[in-house]
C-alpha cells in the first residue's frame, strides 16, 4: 500500500487545516495509507480523522531544527510516496526534510497577496521568499487553491511558474437532517464562519450594520462563528455592539464543527474578508445551495455573480450595506433560485470526486 504523509501545524479550526483533512480523507478512500504529523495540541479535527482511521503522529515540543529532524526521520523510516504540506513553516520543513529521499514534495501556495502580507507582518514576507527559493530547489509541485493565488505567487516569483498548479478545495458537506425554513423568526438569517482577526474584517461589518436603516436592521440576524485570534479586536467589537444596540442583530459564537448544519439552516452564507486563499466557508455555503454575500477576493469571479449572490468591497461601508440590504429585500423565490445556482457552480468547481482525482494524479 502506498503511503502519504501530511504535515500540519495543528488540527485546529482553520482553512488550511480543513483543506488538509478533507484531502487526506479523499486519498484514504482511494486506497492510500495516510498519516498526519502535527506539533500543536489543538485537536479540533482529530475525531474526524479517527473515524477515517487516519493516524496522527504528535511531534514532541522543540525548536524548528528539532521538528525538522523528527519529520526527516519519519519520512526516511516509512518510505512515503509523497509528503504534503500547506502552510509556510511546514512547507519549509517539507522541502528540507525530504532532501536526498525518494518521495514527492508537494507544498501549498501561501498567499502572496500584498493585503495578506500587510496583516501578517514582515516576518511572514521574509519567510515567504525563503519558501520560494526552497520550493524552486526541492519541491515537485506547488498547489494553489485558487487561480488568483496562483497568479499572485507567479507574479512574485516568476521562476516558480512551471511548478504551480491550481486545485480548488474539495468540499464535503453533511447531509441535512433538518428541513430549511425560510426567514425563520421573520428575519433574514445570515451565517458567517470566520475567526476574529483583522483580515476577516469583523469590525467593519459591525460598523456597517450599525449604519443600516432601522427597517432593514429589524429584518436581519447575523450569526458569526469563529475563534478569537485577536482579543483587543474582540473587545472593540463587543463595545461597538453595545454602543449601537446591535444585540440580537449581530451575534458572535465560538467556532464549531457543526458549521455545515448551521449553514444549512441559514438563508444566506457570507464572508467579508480583506484577503483569502480560497474561502472554505463560501465554498461550503455554495455546495449547500445557499445564496452568497462575499467581498471581491480570491476567485470570486468564478464563484459569485448576481445569479447566486451579492458582491461587495471589504473596505467600503456602503458597499457592505448595499449587499446586505439587497439580500434582505429578496423574495423567497429569488433566494431559492440563487441557492440552486450556487450549488450548480459548486459542483462544477469543488466536487470531491473530481478534486480527489486531481490529487491522485498529482501524487502518481
Amino acid at each position: 500500500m502506498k503511503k502519504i504523509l501530511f504535515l500540519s501545524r495543528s488540527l485546529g479550526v482553520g482553512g488550511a487545516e480543513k483543506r488538509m483533512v478533507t484531502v487526506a480523507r479523499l486519498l484514504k478512500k482511494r486506497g492510500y495509507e495516510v498519516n498526519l504529523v502535527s506539533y500543536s495540541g489543538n485537536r479540533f479535527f482529530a475525531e474526524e480523522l479517527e473515524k477515517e482511521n487516519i493516524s496522527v503522529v504528535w511531534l514532541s515540543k522543540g525548536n524548528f531544527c528539532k521538528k525538522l529532524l523528527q519529520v526527516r526521520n519519519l519520512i526516511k523510516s516509512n518510505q512515503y510516496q509523497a509528503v504534503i504540506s500547506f502552510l509556510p513553516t511546514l512547507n519549509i520543513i517539507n522541502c528540507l526534510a525530504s532532501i536526498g529521499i525518494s518521495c514527492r514534495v508537494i507544498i501549498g501556495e501561501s498567499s502572496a497577496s500584498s493585503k495578506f502580507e500587510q496583516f501578517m507582518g514582515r516576518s511572514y514576507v521574509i519567510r515567504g521568499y525563503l519558501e520560494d527559493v526552497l520550493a524552486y530547489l526541492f519541491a515537485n509541485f506547488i498547489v494553489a487553491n485558487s487561480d488568483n493565488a496562483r497568479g499572485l505567487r507567479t507574479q512574485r516569483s516568476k521562476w516558480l511558474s512551471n511548478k504551480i498548479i491550481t486545485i480548488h478545495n474539495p468540499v464535503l458537506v453533511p447531509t441535512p437532517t433538518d428541513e430549511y425554513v425560510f426567514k425563520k423568526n421573520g428575519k433574514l438569517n445570515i451565517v458567517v464562519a470566520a475567526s476574529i482577526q483583522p483580515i476577516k474584517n469583523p469590525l467593519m461589518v459591525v460598523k456597517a450594520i450599525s449604519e443600516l436603516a432601522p427597517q432593514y436592521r429589524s429584518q436581519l440576524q447575523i450569526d458569526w462563528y469563529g475563534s478569537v485570534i485577536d482579543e483587543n479586536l474582540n473587545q472593540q467589537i463587543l463595545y461597538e455592539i453595545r454602543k449601537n444596540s446591535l444585540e440580537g442583530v449581530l451575534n458572535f459564537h465560538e467556532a464549531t464543527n457543526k458549521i455545515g448544519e448551521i449553514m444549512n439552516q441559514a438563508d444566506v452564507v457570507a464572508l467579508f474578508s480583506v484577503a483569502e486563499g480560497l474561502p472554505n466557508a463560501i465554498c461550503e455555503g455554495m455546495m449547500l445551495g445557499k445564496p452568497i454575500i462575499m467581498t471581491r477576493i480570491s476567485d470570486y469571479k468564478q464563484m459569485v455573480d448576481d445569479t447566486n449572490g451579492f458582491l461587495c468591497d471589504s473596505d467600503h461601508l456602503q458597499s457592505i450595506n448595499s449587499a446586505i440590504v439587497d439580500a434582505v429585500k429578496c423574495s423567497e423565490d429569488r433566494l431559492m433560485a440563487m441557492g440552486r445556482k450556487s450549488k450548480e457552480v459548486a459542483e462544477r468547481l469543488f466536487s470531491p470526486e473530481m478534486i480527489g482525482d486531481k490529487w491522485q494524479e498529482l501524487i502518481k
Side-chain angles (χ1 to χ4, degrees), residues 8-10 37-41 57-60 67 89-90 93:
S8 178
R9 177 186 57 194
S10 79
V37 161
S38 181
Y39 58 82
S40 163
V57 178
W58 299 96
L59 299 184
S60 57
K67 293 186 181 75
T89 299
L90 276 304
I93 288 176

Side-chain angles (χ1 to χ4, degrees), residues 156-306:
R156 183 177 78 183
S157 301
K158 293 181 175 59
W159 63 84
L160 295 177
S161 59
N162 291 333
K163 293 191 174 189
I164 302 180
I165 64 170
T166 300
I167 302 180
H168 287 116
N169 295 354
V171 179
L172 297 171
V173 294
T175 302
T177 55
D178 298 317
E179 186 177 353
Y180 161 66
V181 178
F182 175 71
K183 285 194 175 181
K184 190 184 296 183
N185 303 324
K187 297 184 177 183
L188 184 79
N189 294 281
I190 298 176
V191 167
V192 180
S195 54
I196 307 302
Q197 55 178 315
I199 201 166
K200 304 297 184 180
N201 217 23
L203 190 58
M204 180 69 82
V205 175
V206 175
K207 291 179 178 179
I209 300 301
S210 70
E211 294 189 3
L212 281 179
Q215 68 264 34
Y216 298 124
R217 197 189 303 179
S218 65
Q219 299 179 59
L220 181 66
Q221 179 176 320
I222 299 178
D223 288 286
W224 187 305
Y225 293 84
S227 302
V228 176
I229 306 299
D230 188 323
E231 183 56 45
N232 289 334
L233 176 61
N234 188 50
Q235 291 304 315
Q236 291 180 61
I237 290 167
L238 296 176
Y239 170 76
E240 290 291 333
I241 288 174
R242 289 192 299 268
K243 184 179 77 171
N244 295 287
S245 302
L246 296 179
E247 296 90 347
V249 179
L250 188 53
N251 310 295
F252 284 85
H253 312 272
E254 282 293 319
T256 173
N257 55 13
K258 304 291 185 183
I259 192 63
E261 297 170 23
I262 292 168
M263 284 182 179
N264 188 60
Q265 295 304 306
D267 297 301
V268 174
V269 171
L271 192 71
F272 302 95
S273 299
V274 175
E276 292 277 353
L278 186 74
N280 282 310
I282 294 301
C283 301
E284 291 172 13
M286 292 172 66
M287 191 65 83
L288 285 164
K290 297 298 173 181
I292 300 298
I293 300 174
M294 72 177 291
T295 45
R296 291 179 174 86
I297 53 171
S298 187
D299 284 356
Y300 75 91
K301 291 180 181 178
Q302 297 180 44
M303 298 163 66
V304 176
D305 58 26
D306 58 8

